[in-house]
Amino acid sequence: MNVLNFAARWRLWDGGRRYDPRPGSRGEHVLQDWYGTRDRASMFYDRQLSDQLTPKMVEFIGRMEMAFIATSDAGGECDCSFRAGTAGFLRVLDERTIAYPEFRGNGVMASLGNILENPHIGIFMVDFTRDLIGLHVNGSAEIVTPAHMQELDRCLPGPSLPPGRQPVQWVLVRVTEAYIHCSKHIPKLIPQSRVRHWGTDNPRYKGGDIFGIAAGGLGRPDGLPPAPGDPGDNGTVVERPATPVALAGPHAISTP
């Protein structure tokens, strides 16, 4: 253990006996004091951190087509996953409640499994194409059925959606904090059209063994082969915009 870790852990233990009214974790506070950023952090807490969604946050969420979902199990083992859909797939029920759909995937249920053990969740949304800004939403999650979600949100599209686009479950998130992710390092991307094979099991459309796990014999010995066929093809749609492609040139990434 290095000197910083030793000192930080001692101060975490010592600080656990005192009440600190500031937002954030004890670890944050220890490092803010250690590196002399407490005043800067306090300004951020006061001006940028909210315990509910503002109207501009609601508008921002409503036009997002992707989000990154962070969860952990009861032991703190973390996972970060990606969710995507057309604008509006992230639902805002009120200023303290949002929801996102779980579509048919690889069957692992990593995020949902973590939520069963530990409801804490972090959602990160970022606008790569227009405002070049990000939004963090943290809260407590629970898994709900599509039928229950339909009761909570009467404006949801019904079961007429094509296979692969119909949610299997929904995740309901009670917002505890929401705050900005600054724009200075967010790259500018250009949306391009592509075919998205919603719900497919075809390895060709899922990326195959691009990282060489199967070819290198590095997979789990009890791993199962991909399911045969491609039942999700009837859910295939062509839409714009979809996966962004980075700009070339000097403006690809803004500088601090």
Side-chain angles (χ1 to χ4, degrees), residues 83 89 99-104 109 112 142-149 156 165-172:
R83 296 292 182 270
F89 88 105
Y100 68 86
E102 285 284 336
F103 299 118
R104 187 177 187 277
M109 308 287 181
L112 295 182
E142 64 176 304
I143 304 167
V144 301
T145 64
H148 184 53
M149 185 61 193
L156 273 180
R165 296 293 301 277
Q166 297 179 9
V168 178
Q169 301 290 349
W170 283 83
V171 175
L172 194 67

Side-chain angles (χ1 to χ4, degrees), residues 52-223:
Q52 64 184 43
L53 302 176
T54 66
K56 289 191 175 182
M57 289 177 179
V58 171
E59 184 275 329
F60 182 89
I61 294 171
R63 57 185 174 84
M64 289 297 100
E65 298 186 8
M66 67 181 81
F68 300 90
I69 310 295
T71 58
S72 67
D73 64 18
E77 294 287 339
C78 298
D79 178 76
C80 183
S81 194
F82 175 75
R83 296 292 182 270
T86 55
F89 88 105
L90 296 162
R91 310 295 295 182
V92 178
L93 304 186
D94 57 51
E95 69 274 8
R96 296 183 186 272
T97 314
I98 67 174
Y100 68 86
E102 285 284 336
F103 299 118
R104 187 177 187 277
N106 58 15
V108 174
M109 308 287 181
S111 298
L112 295 182
N114 283 344
I115 290 169
L116 280 182
E117 297 185 32
N118 177 358
H120 295 293
I121 190 170
I123 302 175
F124 177 54
M125 295 152 279
V126 58
D127 180 354
F128 289 108
T129 63
R130 195 181 87 181
D131 295 330
L132 304 185
I133 206 76
L135 175 65
H136 295 265
V137 176
N138 298 330
S140 180
E142 64 176 304
I143 304 167
V144 301
T145 64
H148 184 53
M149 185 61 193
Q150 200 78 49
E151 296 174 359
L152 297 174
D153 186 352
R154 297 294 184 179
C155 297
L156 273 180
S160 59
L161 289 171
R165 296 293 301 277
Q166 297 179 9
V168 178
Q169 301 290 349
W170 283 83
V171 175
L172 194 67
V173 179
R174 310 293 183 186
V175 177
T176 57
E177 58 182 17
Y179 55 93
I180 190 175
H181 188 99
C182 75
S183 64
K184 61 183 178 181
H185 298 300
I186 296 176
K188 175 78 172 181
L189 307 181
I190 302 175
Q192 291 192 350
S193 62
R194 59 159 291 189
V195 175
R196 289 200 256 188
H197 299 268
W198 299 96
T200 185
D201 283 322
N202 189 324
R204 173 186 175 188
Y205 300 134
K206 295 174 68 174
D209 188 32
I210 191 169
F211 293 114
I213 302 297
L218 302 176
R220 292 173 57 91
D222 57 347

Side-chain angles (χ1 to χ4, degrees), residues 217-240:
L218 302 176
R220 292 173 57 91
D222 57 347
L224 298 176
D230 184 20
D233 277 355
N234 54 2
T236 297
V237 295
V238 179
E239 54 192 36
R240 180 182 182 89

